[in-house]
């Protein structure tokens, strides 16, 4: 069988514990030049796209703002529109929330980005779960778990109807006839449960027809949403075994929506650490993890799980013997502290007892993202193994430094993937759909049929 091609994307680091802001090599998380450096590095490495996360409220811990949020929450589409002017091929992926936005404005902004970039726009469709975030918006409140996805699905359907309200040939600019556009161009009418809108859409289709759709979520509802509507799914399954199970499950869902397995690309999020030897890489990785989980971060993370003020505890000491408070907790706006925190406490206690771990050591162990650690050659081989054995189609790389954290991967690993014949040496097309081998997007009628 022919070898599969590896796909790579870059995630601008920030607002999370991946970022080591205290490193002397770390720069601004908001200055435009930081975005330019990382984006141009990704394009030099022939990456598929550049990905920006989003946050609609500054997260809090015990009523205090999580400091990294302040440093890295610029609005995604604004940044990507500026990056369109300083890149030529790199896809530009914005996270835009479907709970607190409206289809018309989001569809218009994304169509605009697709025009400005020559067909490189992508939309990571996300939802919000909490009233805390909702307080920043006039509508306020929040949606139940199931309603979040029904609104997101209808939101995306409505956006597609808006994009489809313009077709090829609608703008014909005929001086002799004195006509610029077809008379019915842009007309739309959507009557649904969440949205009831009619009018004229202002923006003709961009070069891709529809911007690329990305979905991030591991729940059953999220997987089904991705199988029905997404072009890329952003996964957190980093181990080979878990990745294969996730890959098989999601790809198997596509047929019921009339889609082929290659119409949805699976991109786990990963980090990497390189060294001249395996031992050197492992030592550097351990140093980076300790920098990512400072003593203060370790206690804050434990407080999020326990739901209590644990500031009196020594981060280098044992876990607290007190029982967790499973009520509202001390954290606001941090999704990782949702779910069954009691089960997390039990699992962490068992792990700490088995391994003899301190609080800080436990948080480092329990929250570590899957990372490719090794020499450039072993990392290239491992990346390729994941793709060839159907654990992923590619990866979204989250470097630990802003803005130079991608440089080593592009300079030392990408050439080895190219040498293996599994990664492009140049872009074969101009649009993001070209890069990912995705065809013309389906119209709303095709999706609904």
């Amino acid at each position: 069988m022919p070898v599969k091609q590896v796909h790579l994307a870059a995630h601008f680091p920030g607002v999370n514990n991946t970022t080591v802001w205290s490193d002397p090599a770390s720069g601004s998380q908001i200055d435009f030049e930081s975005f330019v450096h990382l984006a141009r590095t990704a394009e030099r490495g022939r990456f598929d796209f550049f990905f920006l996360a989003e946050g609609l409220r500054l997260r809090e811990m015990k009523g205090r703002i999580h400091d990294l949020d302040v440093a890295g929450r610029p609005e995604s589409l604004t940044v990507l529109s500026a990056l369109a002017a300083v890149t030529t091929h790199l896809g530009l992926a914005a996270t835009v929330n479907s709970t607190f936005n409206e289809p018309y404005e989001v569809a218009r902004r994304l169509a605009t980005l697709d025009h400005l970039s020559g067909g490189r726009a992508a939309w990571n469709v996300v939802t919000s779960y909490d009233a805390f975030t909702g307080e920043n918006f006039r509508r306020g409140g929040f949606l139940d778990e199931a309603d979040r996805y029904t609104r997101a699905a209808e939101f995306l359907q409505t956006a597609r109807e808006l994009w489809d309200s313009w077709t090829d040939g609608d703008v014909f600019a005929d001086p002799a006839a004195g006509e610029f556009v077809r008379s019915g161009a842009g007309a739309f009418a959507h009557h649904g449960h969440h949205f009831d809108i009619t009018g004229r859409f202002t923006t003709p289709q961009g070069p891709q027809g529809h911007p690329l759709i990305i979905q991030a979520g591991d729940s059953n509802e999220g997987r089904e949403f991705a199988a029905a509507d997404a072009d890329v799914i952003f996964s957190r399954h980093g181990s080979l075994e878990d990745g294969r199970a996730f890959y098989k499950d999601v790809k198997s869902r596509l047929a019921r929506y009339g889609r082929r397995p290659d119409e949805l690309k699976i991109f786990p999020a990963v980090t990497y650490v390189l060294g001249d030897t395996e031992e050197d890489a492992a030592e550097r990785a351990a140093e980076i993890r300790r920098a990512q989980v400072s003593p203060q971060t370790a206690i804050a993370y434990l407080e999020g799980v326990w739901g209590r003020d644990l500031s009196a505890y020594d981060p280098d000491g044992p876990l607290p013997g007190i029982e967790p408070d499973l009520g509202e907790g001390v954290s606001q706006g941090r999704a990782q502290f949702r779910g069954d925190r009691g089960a997390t406490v039990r699992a962490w206690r068992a792990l700490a007892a088995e391994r003899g771990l301190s609080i800080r050591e436990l948080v480092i162990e329990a929250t570590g993202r899957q990372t490719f650690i090794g020499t450039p050659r072993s990392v290239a081989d491992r990346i390729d193994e994941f793709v060839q054995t159907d654990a992923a189609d590619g990866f979204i790389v989250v470097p630990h430094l802003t803005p130079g954290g991608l440089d080593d991967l592009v300079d030392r690993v990408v050439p080895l993937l190219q040498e293996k014949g599994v990664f492009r040496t140049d872009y074969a097309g101009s649009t993001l759909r070209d890069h990912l081998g995705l065809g013309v997007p389906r119209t709303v009628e095709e999706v609904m049929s």
Side-chain angles (χ1 to χ4, degrees):
M1 294 181 63
V3 296
K4 294 171 61 180
Q5 290 296 294
V6 172
H7 292 279
L8 294 174
H11 188 307
F12 186 87
V15 304
N16 54 49
N17 293 339
T18 302
T19 304
V20 182
W21 60 266
S22 58
D23 191 296
S26 181
S28 171
Q29 292 174 299
I30 200 167
D31 286 352
F32 184 56
E33 285 307 311
S34 289
F35 293 98
V36 171
H37 181 104
L38 193 72
R40 283 179 168 166
T41 301
E43 187 164 74
R44 177 166 58 83
R46 304 302 189 261
F47 278 40
D48 291 286
F49 60 89
F50 178 88
F51 180 90
L52 287 181
E54 181 68 289
L56 297 179
R57 179 156 182 176
L58 299 177
R59 298 170 294 177
E60 295 181 3
M61 180 67 71
K62 296 187 293 186
R64 296 182 59 187
I65 292 172
H66 178 60
D67 58 358
L68 287 179
D69 278 16
V70 180
R73 288 294 192 192
E75 196 279 318
S76 298
L77 279 165
T78 305
V79 173
L80 295 177
S81 295
L83 288 177
V86 297
T87 56
T88 58
H89 287 78
L90 185 69
L92 303 168
T95 301
V96 183
N97 192 288
S98 64
T99 304
F100 298 115
N101 283 293
E102 296 297 323
Y104 186 94
E105 61 178 353
V106 171
R108 185 177 181 228
R109 290 158 63 200
L110 284 161
T112 300
L113 177 61
D114 208 46
H115 278 288
L116 290 177
S117 65
R120 297 184 279 137
W123 173 21
N124 178 37
V125 184
V126 297
T127 64
S128 284
Y129 67 90
D130 62 333
F132 174 74
T133 299
E135 290 173 356
N136 271 359
F137 296 86
R138 182 178 61 186
R139 185 162 57 82
F142 66 103
L143 296 173
D144 290 335
E145 194 85 16
D147 289 340
R148 288 193 294 127
Y149 282 106
T150 59
R151 177 183 166 92
E154 187 179 339
F155 194 117
L156 179 54
Q157 177 190 341
T158 308
R160 283 186 165 133
E161 291 172 9
L162 295 169
W163 294 324
D164 286 345
S165 68
W166 288 83
T167 60
D168 288 343
D170 279 350
V171 181
F172 50 82
D174 184 350
E179 292 182 281
F180 186 72
V181 298
R182 180 179 62 84
S183 61
F188 68 88
H190 177 91
H191 306 292
H193 176 70
H194 292 279
F195 309 106
D196 190 347
I197 57 176
T198 58
R200 290 290 184 96
F201 190 54
T202 62
T203 313
Q205 282 192 349
Q208 295 187 111
H210 299 177
L212 199 82
I213 301 301
I214 303 173
Q215 199 276 328
D218 187 39
S219 67
N220 182 65
E221 294 86 353
R223 296 183 190 203
E224 204 65 24
F225 180 46
D229 287 316
D231 300 299
V232 170
I233 185 167
F234 188 1
S235 161
R236 292 189 178 276
H237 292 274
S239 73
L240 201 61
E241 182 179 348
D242 288 347
R244 287 171 180 164
F246 181 82
Y247 191 99
K248 182 178 180 180
D249 175 68
V250 173
K251 297 274 187 172
S252 70
R253 300 175 186 234
L254 291 165
R256 74 187 69 167
Y257 300 102
R259 306 180 68 195
R260 302 187 312 272
D262 63 353
E263 292 183 53
L264 175 66
K265 306 298 184 183
I266 297 178
F267 277 65
V270 296
T271 60
Y272 78 97
V273 180
L274 300 181
D276 293 331
T277 65
E278 297 295 326
E279 294 74 19
D280 177 43
E283 183 176 333
R284 288 194 64 217
E287 291 173 357
I288 290 169
R289 285 300 292 144
R290 287 187 65 81
Q292 289 169 328
V293 183
S294 66
Q296 298 92 329
T297 296
I299 292 296
Y301 209 98
L302 202 72
E303 289 175 333
V305 175
W306 252 254
R308 293 180 178 276
D309 181 346
L310 302 176
S311 56
Y313 285 82
D314 181 0
D316 293 318
L319 288 182
I322 60 174
E323 291 302 308
D325 180 350
L326 301 180
E328 185 174 331
V330 297
S331 173
Q332 296 270 35
R334 305 192 71 171
Q336 63 265 49
F337 300 133
R338 298 178 67 212
D340 188 349
R341 289 190 285 114
T344 301
V345 169
R346 292 190 293 274
W348 283 17
R349 279 179 168 159
L351 178 61
E354 177 188 349
R355 303 271 299 275
L357 302 176
S358 68
I359 290 173
R360 188 181 183 193
E361 290 168 338
L362 173 70
V363 174
I364 288 173
E365 180 71 22
T367 66
R369 188 190 299 271
Q370 164 64 29
T371 302
F372 290 118
I373 301 170
T375 65
R377 175 65 66 182
S378 68
V379 167
D381 289 343
R382 189 68 168 160
I383 288 173
D384 188 37
E385 180 184 13
F386 268 70
V387 173
Q388 303 307 328
T389 61
D390 291 342
D393 292 307
F395 299 96
I396 296 181
V397 183
V398 189
H400 72 278
L401 288 179
T402 306
L406 202 62
D407 295 7
D408 271 358
L409 189 78
V410 167
D411 293 336
R412 304 179 68 190
V413 176
V414 165
L416 298 178
L417 293 171
Q418 293 168 332
E419 179 185 286
K420 291 163 71 73
V422 298
F423 192 73
R424 67 172 67 92
T425 56
D426 204 354
Y427 292 107
S430 60
T431 73
L432 179 51
R433 290 185 178 277
D434 291 336
H435 304 341
L436 292 170
L438 298 172
V440 176
R442 297 182 297 168
T443 64
V444 172
E445 288 78 9
E446 291 171 333
V447 171
M448 300 300 292
S449 63

